[in-house]
Short mmCIF file of all heavy atoms in Angstrom, two decimals:
data_model
loop_
_atom_site.label_atom_id
_atom_site.label_comp_id
_atom_site.label_asym_id
_atom_site.label_seq_id
_atom_site.Cartn_x
_atom_site.Cartn_y
_atom_site.Cartn_z
N MET A 30 -30.15 76.24 198.25
CA MET A 30 -31.45 75.63 198.32
C MET A 30 -31.35 74.19 197.81
O MET A 30 -30.82 73.92 196.75
CB MET A 30 -32.42 76.44 197.46
CG MET A 30 -33.78 75.89 197.39
SD MET A 30 -34.83 77.01 196.45
CE MET A 30 -36.37 76.33 196.85
N ILE A 31 -31.86 73.26 198.56
CA ILE A 31 -31.81 71.85 198.21
C ILE A 31 -33.17 71.42 197.68
O ILE A 31 -34.20 71.64 198.31
CB ILE A 31 -31.45 70.99 199.44
CG1 ILE A 31 -30.07 71.39 199.96
CG2 ILE A 31 -31.51 69.51 199.09
CD1 ILE A 31 -29.69 70.69 201.25
N GLU A 32 -33.13 70.84 196.51
CA GLU A 32 -34.38 70.34 195.92
C GLU A 32 -34.63 68.93 196.41
O GLU A 32 -33.72 68.13 196.53
CB GLU A 32 -34.28 70.34 194.40
CG GLU A 32 -34.17 71.72 193.81
CD GLU A 32 -34.16 71.67 192.29
OE1 GLU A 32 -34.68 70.71 191.71
OE2 GLU A 32 -33.63 72.62 191.71
N GLU A 33 -35.88 68.65 196.71
CA GLU A 33 -36.24 67.31 197.15
C GLU A 33 -36.25 66.37 195.95
O GLU A 33 -36.64 66.75 194.85
CB GLU A 33 -37.63 67.32 197.79
CG GLU A 33 -37.67 68.05 199.11
CD GLU A 33 -39.02 67.93 199.78
OE1 GLU A 33 -39.72 66.93 199.53
OE2 GLU A 33 -39.37 68.83 200.53
N GLU A 34 -35.80 65.15 196.18
CA GLU A 34 -35.84 64.16 195.13
C GLU A 34 -37.26 63.66 194.97
O GLU A 34 -37.96 63.41 195.94
CB GLU A 34 -34.93 62.98 195.47
CG GLU A 34 -33.47 63.31 195.39
CD GLU A 34 -32.61 62.07 195.58
OE1 GLU A 34 -33.06 60.98 195.19
OE2 GLU A 34 -31.51 62.23 196.09
N THR A 35 -37.66 63.52 193.73
CA THR A 35 -38.98 62.95 193.47
C THR A 35 -38.83 61.44 193.40
O THR A 35 -37.80 60.94 192.96
CB THR A 35 -39.56 63.48 192.14
OG1 THR A 35 -38.65 63.16 191.09
CG2 THR A 35 -39.78 64.98 192.20
N PRO A 36 -39.83 60.71 193.84
CA PRO A 36 -39.72 59.25 193.78
C PRO A 36 -39.59 58.77 192.33
O PRO A 36 -40.20 59.33 191.43
CB PRO A 36 -41.01 58.76 194.41
CG PRO A 36 -41.90 59.92 194.50
CD PRO A 36 -41.08 61.16 194.37
N ARG A 37 -38.79 57.76 192.15
CA ARG A 37 -38.59 57.19 190.82
C ARG A 37 -39.83 56.38 190.46
O ARG A 37 -40.31 55.58 191.26
CB ARG A 37 -37.36 56.30 190.84
CG ARG A 37 -37.04 55.70 189.51
CD ARG A 37 -35.73 55.00 189.50
NE ARG A 37 -35.52 54.17 190.67
CZ ARG A 37 -34.63 53.19 190.74
NH1 ARG A 37 -33.85 52.96 189.74
NH2 ARG A 37 -34.50 52.48 191.83
N PRO A 38 -40.34 56.58 189.24
CA PRO A 38 -41.53 55.79 188.87
C PRO A 38 -41.17 54.31 188.76
O PRO A 38 -40.07 53.96 188.37
CB PRO A 38 -41.92 56.36 187.51
CG PRO A 38 -40.72 57.07 187.01
CD PRO A 38 -39.91 57.47 188.21
N ALA A 39 -42.10 53.49 189.13
CA ALA A 39 -41.89 52.04 189.05
C ALA A 39 -41.77 51.63 187.58
O ALA A 39 -42.42 52.20 186.71
CB ALA A 39 -43.06 51.31 189.70
N ALA A 40 -40.92 50.65 187.34
CA ALA A 40 -40.76 50.16 185.97
C ALA A 40 -42.08 49.55 185.51
O ALA A 40 -42.70 48.78 186.24
CB ALA A 40 -39.65 49.13 185.91
N SER A 41 -42.47 49.91 184.32
CA SER A 41 -43.73 49.36 183.81
C SER A 41 -43.52 47.91 183.41
O SER A 41 -42.46 47.51 182.97
CB SER A 41 -44.23 50.17 182.62
OG SER A 41 -43.30 50.09 181.56
N ARG A 42 -44.51 47.16 183.58
CA ARG A 42 -44.48 45.75 183.20
C ARG A 42 -44.89 45.66 181.74
O ARG A 42 -45.74 46.41 181.27
CB ARG A 42 -45.43 44.92 184.06
CG ARG A 42 -45.05 44.90 185.50
CD ARG A 42 -43.88 43.96 185.67
NE ARG A 42 -43.52 43.87 187.07
CZ ARG A 42 -42.29 43.74 187.49
NH1 ARG A 42 -41.31 43.69 186.64
NH2 ARG A 42 -42.03 43.67 188.76
N PHE A 43 -44.31 44.72 181.05
CA PHE A 43 -44.63 44.51 179.65
C PHE A 43 -46.03 43.92 179.54
O PHE A 43 -46.36 42.96 180.22
CB PHE A 43 -43.60 43.57 179.02
CG PHE A 43 -43.93 43.19 177.61
CD1 PHE A 43 -43.78 44.10 176.59
CD2 PHE A 43 -44.40 41.93 177.32
CE1 PHE A 43 -44.08 43.76 175.29
CE2 PHE A 43 -44.71 41.57 176.02
CZ PHE A 43 -44.55 42.49 175.00
N THR A 44 -46.83 44.49 178.68
CA THR A 44 -48.16 43.96 178.40
C THR A 44 -48.17 43.48 176.95
O THR A 44 -48.06 44.29 176.03
CB THR A 44 -49.24 45.04 178.59
OG1 THR A 44 -49.12 45.58 179.90
CG2 THR A 44 -50.62 44.48 178.38
N PRO A 45 -48.24 42.18 176.74
CA PRO A 45 -48.21 41.67 175.38
C PRO A 45 -49.38 42.19 174.54
O PRO A 45 -50.49 42.36 175.05
CB PRO A 45 -48.32 40.16 175.54
CG PRO A 45 -48.02 39.89 176.96
CD PRO A 45 -48.35 41.13 177.73
N ALA A 46 -49.11 42.44 173.29
CA ALA A 46 -50.16 42.87 172.37
C ALA A 46 -51.05 41.69 172.01
O ALA A 46 -50.63 40.54 172.07
CB ALA A 46 -49.53 43.46 171.11
N VAL A 47 -52.24 42.00 171.62
CA VAL A 47 -53.16 40.97 171.12
C VAL A 47 -52.83 40.79 169.64
O VAL A 47 -53.06 41.68 168.83
CB VAL A 47 -54.63 41.38 171.31
CG1 VAL A 47 -55.57 40.33 170.75
CG2 VAL A 47 -54.91 41.63 172.79
N ILE A 48 -52.28 39.64 169.30
CA ILE A 48 -51.76 39.44 167.94
C ILE A 48 -52.58 38.43 167.14
O ILE A 48 -52.17 38.03 166.06
CB ILE A 48 -50.28 38.99 168.00
CG1 ILE A 48 -50.12 37.69 168.76
CG2 ILE A 48 -49.41 40.08 168.60
CD1 ILE A 48 -48.72 37.11 168.72
N ASP A 49 -53.71 38.07 167.65
CA ASP A 49 -54.52 37.03 167.01
C ASP A 49 -54.87 37.33 165.56
O ASP A 49 -54.93 36.42 164.73
CB ASP A 49 -55.81 36.79 167.79
CG ASP A 49 -55.54 36.28 169.19
OD1 ASP A 49 -54.44 35.78 169.45
OD2 ASP A 49 -56.45 36.39 170.04
N ARG A 50 -55.12 38.57 165.23
CA ARG A 50 -55.60 38.90 163.89
C ARG A 50 -54.53 39.56 163.02
O ARG A 50 -54.84 40.10 161.97
CB ARG A 50 -56.81 39.81 163.98
CG ARG A 50 -57.97 39.12 164.64
CD ARG A 50 -59.17 39.98 164.67
NE ARG A 50 -60.25 39.26 165.36
CZ ARG A 50 -61.51 39.56 165.25
NH1 ARG A 50 -61.88 40.56 164.50
NH2 ARG A 50 -62.41 38.86 165.89
N TRP A 51 -53.29 39.57 163.46
CA TRP A 51 -52.22 40.20 162.69
C TRP A 51 -51.77 39.27 161.58
O TRP A 51 -51.72 38.04 161.74
CB TRP A 51 -51.03 40.51 163.59
CG TRP A 51 -51.29 41.59 164.60
CD1 TRP A 51 -52.46 42.20 164.87
CD2 TRP A 51 -50.34 42.15 165.49
NE1 TRP A 51 -52.31 43.11 165.88
CE2 TRP A 51 -51.01 43.10 166.27
CE3 TRP A 51 -48.99 41.94 165.71
CZ2 TRP A 51 -50.36 43.85 167.26
CZ3 TRP A 51 -48.34 42.69 166.68
CH2 TRP A 51 -49.03 43.63 167.44
N ASP A 52 -51.41 39.87 160.45
CA ASP A 52 -50.85 39.05 159.38
C ASP A 52 -49.34 38.89 159.60
O ASP A 52 -48.78 39.44 160.55
CB ASP A 52 -51.17 39.63 158.00
CG ASP A 52 -50.56 41.01 157.76
OD1 ASP A 52 -49.65 41.42 158.51
OD2 ASP A 52 -50.99 41.67 156.80
N VAL A 53 -48.70 38.14 158.72
CA VAL A 53 -47.28 37.83 158.88
C VAL A 53 -46.44 39.10 158.89
O VAL A 53 -45.53 39.25 159.71
CB VAL A 53 -46.81 36.86 157.77
CG1 VAL A 53 -45.31 36.68 157.79
CG2 VAL A 53 -47.52 35.52 157.91
N ALA A 54 -46.73 40.04 158.01
CA ALA A 54 -45.96 41.29 157.95
C ALA A 54 -46.08 42.06 159.26
O ALA A 54 -45.08 42.61 159.76
CB ALA A 54 -46.42 42.14 156.77
N ASP A 55 -47.28 42.13 159.81
CA ASP A 55 -47.48 42.82 161.09
C ASP A 55 -46.68 42.14 162.20
O ASP A 55 -46.06 42.80 163.03
CB ASP A 55 -48.96 42.84 161.48
CG ASP A 55 -49.78 43.75 160.60
OD1 ASP A 55 -49.24 44.70 160.02
OD2 ASP A 55 -51.00 43.48 160.48
N LEU A 56 -46.70 40.82 162.21
CA LEU A 56 -45.95 40.07 163.23
C LEU A 56 -44.45 40.30 163.08
O LEU A 56 -43.74 40.46 164.08
CB LEU A 56 -46.29 38.58 163.14
CG LEU A 56 -47.71 38.21 163.57
CD1 LEU A 56 -48.02 36.78 163.15
CD2 LEU A 56 -47.88 38.38 165.06
N GLN A 57 -43.96 40.33 161.84
CA GLN A 57 -42.54 40.58 161.63
C GLN A 57 -42.13 41.98 162.09
O GLN A 57 -41.07 42.16 162.69
CB GLN A 57 -42.18 40.36 160.15
CG GLN A 57 -42.24 38.91 159.75
CD GLN A 57 -42.10 38.68 158.27
OE1 GLN A 57 -42.45 39.54 157.46
NE2 GLN A 57 -41.59 37.51 157.90
N ARG A 58 -42.98 42.98 161.82
CA ARG A 58 -42.70 44.35 162.30
C ARG A 58 -42.70 44.40 163.82
O ARG A 58 -41.85 45.05 164.43
CB ARG A 58 -43.74 45.33 161.74
CG ARG A 58 -43.43 45.84 160.36
CD ARG A 58 -44.33 47.00 159.96
NE ARG A 58 -45.74 46.61 159.88
CZ ARG A 58 -46.31 46.07 158.81
NH1 ARG A 58 -45.61 45.84 157.72
NH2 ARG A 58 -47.58 45.76 158.82
N TYR A 59 -43.64 43.69 164.43
CA TYR A 59 -43.74 43.64 165.88
C TYR A 59 -42.48 43.02 166.49
O TYR A 59 -41.92 43.54 167.44
CB TYR A 59 -44.99 42.85 166.27
CG TYR A 59 -45.24 42.74 167.76
CD1 TYR A 59 -45.45 43.86 168.54
CD2 TYR A 59 -45.30 41.49 168.37
CE1 TYR A 59 -45.70 43.76 169.90
CE2 TYR A 59 -45.55 41.37 169.72
CZ TYR A 59 -45.75 42.51 170.48
OH TYR A 59 -45.99 42.40 171.84
N ILE A 60 -42.01 41.93 165.89
CA ILE A 60 -40.79 41.29 166.37
C ILE A 60 -39.61 42.23 166.23
O ILE A 60 -38.76 42.34 167.13
CB ILE A 60 -40.55 39.97 165.62
CG1 ILE A 60 -41.58 38.92 166.05
CG2 ILE A 60 -39.14 39.44 165.84
CD1 ILE A 60 -41.59 37.67 165.20
N ALA A 61 -39.52 42.94 165.11
CA ALA A 61 -38.42 43.90 164.91
C ALA A 61 -38.46 45.00 165.96
O ALA A 61 -37.42 45.40 166.50
CB ALA A 61 -38.51 44.50 163.51
N GLU A 62 -39.65 45.49 166.29
CA GLU A 62 -39.79 46.52 167.33
C GLU A 62 -39.37 45.98 168.69
O GLU A 62 -38.69 46.67 169.46
CB GLU A 62 -41.23 47.03 167.38
CG GLU A 62 -41.63 47.85 166.18
CD GLU A 62 -43.12 48.15 166.15
OE1 GLU A 62 -43.83 47.83 167.14
OE2 GLU A 62 -43.58 48.70 165.13
N LEU A 63 -39.77 44.76 169.00
CA LEU A 63 -39.38 44.15 170.27
C LEU A 63 -37.87 43.96 170.35
O LEU A 63 -37.26 44.24 171.39
CB LEU A 63 -40.09 42.80 170.46
CG LEU A 63 -41.60 42.86 170.70
CD1 LEU A 63 -42.18 41.46 170.70
CD2 LEU A 63 -41.92 43.57 171.99
N ARG A 64 -37.27 43.50 169.26
CA ARG A 64 -35.81 43.32 169.25
C ARG A 64 -35.09 44.65 169.43
O ARG A 64 -34.07 44.72 170.13
CB ARG A 64 -35.37 42.64 167.97
CG ARG A 64 -35.73 41.17 167.95
CD ARG A 64 -35.19 40.47 166.72
NE ARG A 64 -35.51 39.04 166.81
CZ ARG A 64 -35.80 38.29 165.78
NH1 ARG A 64 -35.79 38.78 164.55
NH2 ARG A 64 -36.07 37.01 165.94
N ALA A 65 -35.61 45.70 168.82
CA ALA A 65 -35.01 47.03 168.98
C ALA A 65 -35.12 47.50 170.43
O ALA A 65 -34.18 48.08 170.98
CB ALA A 65 -35.69 48.04 168.04
N GLU A 66 -36.24 47.24 171.05
CA GLU A 66 -36.41 47.63 172.45
C GLU A 66 -35.51 46.81 173.37
O GLU A 66 -34.93 47.34 174.33
CB GLU A 66 -37.88 47.46 172.85
CG GLU A 66 -38.20 47.97 174.24
CD GLU A 66 -37.96 49.47 174.43
OE1 GLU A 66 -37.80 50.20 173.45
OE2 GLU A 66 -37.93 49.90 175.60
N ILE A 67 -35.35 45.54 173.08
CA ILE A 67 -34.42 44.70 173.86
C ILE A 67 -33.01 45.23 173.71
O ILE A 67 -32.27 45.34 174.70
CB ILE A 67 -34.52 43.22 173.42
CG1 ILE A 67 -35.86 42.63 173.87
CG2 ILE A 67 -33.35 42.41 173.96
CD1 ILE A 67 -36.18 41.29 173.25
N ALA A 68 -32.61 45.58 172.50
CA ALA A 68 -31.26 46.12 172.27
C ALA A 68 -31.07 47.43 173.04
O ALA A 68 -30.00 47.67 173.61
CB ALA A 68 -31.03 46.34 170.78
N ARG A 69 -32.09 48.26 173.07
CA ARG A 69 -32.00 49.52 173.82
C ARG A 69 -31.84 49.26 175.31
O ARG A 69 -31.02 49.89 175.99
CB ARG A 69 -33.27 50.35 173.56
CG ARG A 69 -33.22 51.75 174.12
CD ARG A 69 -34.45 52.53 173.68
NE ARG A 69 -35.61 52.17 174.44
CZ ARG A 69 -36.03 52.83 175.52
NH1 ARG A 69 -35.38 53.86 175.97
NH2 ARG A 69 -37.12 52.44 176.15
N ALA A 70 -32.58 48.29 175.84
CA ALA A 70 -32.47 47.95 177.26
C ALA A 70 -31.10 47.35 177.56
O ALA A 70 -30.48 47.68 178.59
CB ALA A 70 -33.58 46.98 177.66
N GLU A 71 -30.59 46.50 176.67
CA GLU A 71 -29.28 45.91 176.88
C GLU A 71 -28.18 46.97 176.84
O GLU A 71 -27.21 46.90 177.62
CB GLU A 71 -29.01 44.81 175.85
CG GLU A 71 -29.85 43.58 176.09
CD GLU A 71 -29.73 42.53 175.01
OE1 GLU A 71 -29.35 42.85 173.86
OE2 GLU A 71 -30.03 41.35 175.32
N ALA A 72 -28.32 47.96 175.97
CA ALA A 72 -27.35 49.06 175.92
C ALA A 72 -27.38 49.88 177.21
O ALA A 72 -26.33 50.29 177.71
CB ALA A 72 -27.62 49.95 174.71
N ALA A 73 -28.56 50.10 177.74
CA ALA A 73 -28.67 50.84 179.00
C ALA A 73 -28.04 50.05 180.14
O ALA A 73 -27.35 50.63 181.00
CB ALA A 73 -30.14 51.13 179.31
N ILE A 74 -28.23 48.75 180.15
CA ILE A 74 -27.61 47.90 181.18
C ILE A 74 -26.10 47.97 181.06
O ILE A 74 -25.39 48.14 182.06
CB ILE A 74 -28.10 46.44 181.05
CG1 ILE A 74 -29.56 46.33 181.48
CG2 ILE A 74 -27.23 45.49 181.87
CD1 ILE A 74 -30.22 45.01 181.14
N ALA A 75 -25.57 47.85 179.84
CA ALA A 75 -24.12 47.88 179.63
C ALA A 75 -23.54 49.22 180.08
O ALA A 75 -22.48 49.27 180.72
CB ALA A 75 -23.80 47.61 178.17
N ALA A 76 -24.23 50.31 179.78
CA ALA A 76 -23.75 51.63 180.18
C ALA A 76 -23.73 51.76 181.70
O ALA A 76 -22.76 52.29 182.28
CB ALA A 76 -24.63 52.72 179.57
N ARG A 77 -24.77 51.28 182.36
CA ARG A 77 -24.82 51.36 183.82
C ARG A 77 -23.74 50.49 184.46
O ARG A 77 -23.12 50.86 185.44
CB ARG A 77 -26.19 50.97 184.32
CG ARG A 77 -27.23 52.07 184.10
CD ARG A 77 -28.64 51.58 184.39
NE ARG A 77 -29.65 52.60 184.28
CZ ARG A 77 -30.14 53.07 183.15
NH1 ARG A 77 -29.69 52.63 182.00
NH2 ARG A 77 -31.09 53.99 183.14
N GLN A 78 -23.51 49.30 183.88
CA GLN A 78 -22.47 48.42 184.41
C GLN A 78 -21.09 49.03 184.22
O GLN A 78 -20.25 48.95 185.11
CB GLN A 78 -22.55 47.04 183.76
CG GLN A 78 -23.74 46.23 184.23
CD GLN A 78 -23.90 44.92 183.49
OE1 GLN A 78 -23.49 44.77 182.34
NE2 GLN A 78 -24.52 43.94 184.14
N ALA A 79 -20.86 49.65 183.06
CA ALA A 79 -19.56 50.29 182.81
C ALA A 79 -19.35 51.44 183.77
O ALA A 79 -18.24 51.63 184.31
CB ALA A 79 -19.49 50.78 181.36
N HIS A 80 -20.39 52.21 184.02
CA HIS A 80 -20.30 53.32 184.96
C HIS A 80 -19.99 52.81 186.36
O HIS A 80 -19.14 53.34 187.07
CB HIS A 80 -21.62 54.11 184.94
CG HIS A 80 -21.58 55.33 185.77
ND1 HIS A 80 -22.18 55.41 187.00
CD2 HIS A 80 -21.00 56.54 185.55
CE1 HIS A 80 -21.98 56.60 187.51
NE2 HIS A 80 -21.27 57.32 186.65
N ARG A 81 -20.68 51.76 186.75
CA ARG A 81 -20.46 51.17 188.08
C ARG A 81 -19.05 50.61 188.20
O ARG A 81 -18.38 50.79 189.22
CB ARG A 81 -21.50 50.08 188.34
CG ARG A 81 -21.33 49.33 189.65
CD ARG A 81 -21.45 50.32 190.83
NE ARG A 81 -21.16 49.69 192.07
CZ ARG A 81 -22.08 49.37 192.98
NH1 ARG A 81 -23.34 49.62 192.77
NH2 ARG A 81 -21.71 48.82 194.10
N ASN A 82 -18.58 49.91 187.16
CA ASN A 82 -17.23 49.36 187.18
C ASN A 82 -16.18 50.45 187.26
O ASN A 82 -15.18 50.32 187.98
CB ASN A 82 -16.99 48.48 185.95
CG ASN A 82 -17.82 47.21 185.99
OD1 ASN A 82 -18.30 46.79 187.03
ND2 ASN A 82 -18.00 46.61 184.83
N ALA A 83 -16.39 51.55 186.55
CA ALA A 83 -15.45 52.68 186.61
C ALA A 83 -15.43 53.29 188.00
O ALA A 83 -14.37 53.61 188.54
CB ALA A 83 -15.82 53.73 185.57
N ALA A 84 -16.59 53.44 188.61
CA ALA A 84 -16.66 53.99 189.97
C ALA A 84 -16.00 53.05 190.96
O ALA A 84 -15.26 53.49 191.85
CB ALA A 84 -18.11 54.25 190.36
N ASP A 85 -16.25 51.76 190.82
CA ASP A 85 -15.63 50.78 191.71
C ASP A 85 -14.11 50.81 191.59
O ASP A 85 -13.39 50.74 192.59
CB ASP A 85 -16.14 49.36 191.42
CG ASP A 85 -17.58 49.15 191.87
OD1 ASP A 85 -18.10 49.99 192.65
OD2 ASP A 85 -18.18 48.15 191.44
N ALA A 86 -13.62 50.93 190.35
CA ALA A 86 -12.17 50.97 190.14
C ALA A 86 -11.58 52.25 190.73
O ALA A 86 -10.49 52.24 191.31
CB ALA A 86 -11.86 50.88 188.65
N PHE A 87 -12.28 53.35 190.61
CA PHE A 87 -11.79 54.63 191.11
C PHE A 87 -11.72 54.63 192.63
O PHE A 87 -10.78 55.14 193.22
CB PHE A 87 -12.69 55.76 190.62
CG PHE A 87 -12.22 57.12 191.06
CD1 PHE A 87 -11.19 57.75 190.39
CD2 PHE A 87 -12.83 57.78 192.13
CE1 PHE A 87 -10.76 59.01 190.79
CE2 PHE A 87 -12.40 59.03 192.54
CZ PHE A 87 -11.36 59.64 191.86
N PHE A 88 -12.74 54.07 193.27
CA PHE A 88 -12.81 54.10 194.72
C PHE A 88 -12.26 52.84 195.39
O PHE A 88 -12.43 52.65 196.59
CB PHE A 88 -14.25 54.31 195.18
CG PHE A 88 -14.77 55.70 194.85
CD1 PHE A 88 -15.68 55.88 193.83
CD2 PHE A 88 -14.31 56.80 195.54
CE1 PHE A 88 -16.14 57.15 193.52
CE2 PHE A 88 -14.77 58.07 195.24
CZ PHE A 88 -15.68 58.25 194.23
N LYS A 89 -11.61 52.00 194.61
CA LYS A 89 -11.05 50.77 195.15
C LYS A 89 -9.98 51.07 196.19
O LYS A 89 -9.12 51.91 195.99
CB LYS A 89 -10.44 49.92 194.03
CG LYS A 89 -9.96 48.57 194.46
CD LYS A 89 -9.46 47.78 193.27
CE LYS A 89 -9.00 46.41 193.73
NZ LYS A 89 -8.49 45.62 192.60
N LYS A 90 -10.06 50.36 197.31
CA LYS A 90 -9.06 50.54 198.38
C LYS A 90 -7.75 49.88 197.96
O LYS A 90 -7.75 48.79 197.41
CB LYS A 90 -9.55 49.92 199.68
CG LYS A 90 -10.76 50.63 200.24
CD LYS A 90 -11.18 50.01 201.55
CE LYS A 90 -12.42 50.73 202.09
NZ LYS A 90 -12.89 50.15 203.33
N PRO A 91 -6.63 50.56 198.24
CA PRO A 91 -5.34 49.96 197.87
C PRO A 91 -5.11 48.68 198.64
O PRO A 91 -5.44 48.57 199.81
CB PRO A 91 -4.33 51.02 198.25
CG PRO A 91 -5.07 52.20 198.74
CD PRO A 91 -6.51 51.85 198.82
N GLY A 92 -4.50 47.76 197.98
CA GLY A 92 -4.09 46.59 198.43
C GLY A 92 -4.18 45.53 199.25
O GLY A 92 -4.03 44.69 199.80
#
C-alpha cells in the first residue's frame, strides 16, 4: 500500500514583535532568542548541505 504524500506546509514568514514598550532586559532576551533561532536554522542548513554533498559524492559519475 502506497501512502500519498501530504503537501509540505509553506515556510512561515517572520513577523517582527512589537518592541516599543520593552525594557532593555526584554530586548536582550529577545535578541538572545533570535540568535538561538538563527543558529538552529544555520545548523539545519549545514546538515542538509552535508547530506546533499554526501549523496552527490556517492552518485558521482566516474571520470
Side-chain angles (χ1 to χ4, degrees):
M30 177 176 193
I31 299 174
E32 294 183 25
E33 291 185 27
E34 289 187 31
T35 58
R37 182 171 45 162
S41 62
R42 296 284 182 216
F43 174 73
T44 305
V47 178
I48 60 173
D49 297 341
R50 296 183 182 199
W51 292 6
D52 63 16
V53 172
D55 290 334
L56 291 167
Q57 290 171 332
R58 276 191 297 274
Y59 181 61
I60 289 170
E62 291 170 7
L63 291 173
R64 287 185 177 146
E66 186 62 14
I67 289 168
R69 188 174 77 95
E71 289 174 338
I74 289 169
R77 284 170 176 77
Q78 287 175 333
H80 185 257
R81 177 61 186 254
N82 292 341
D85 287 346
F87 182 79
F88 292 107
K89 185 176 181 181
K90 294 182 181 178

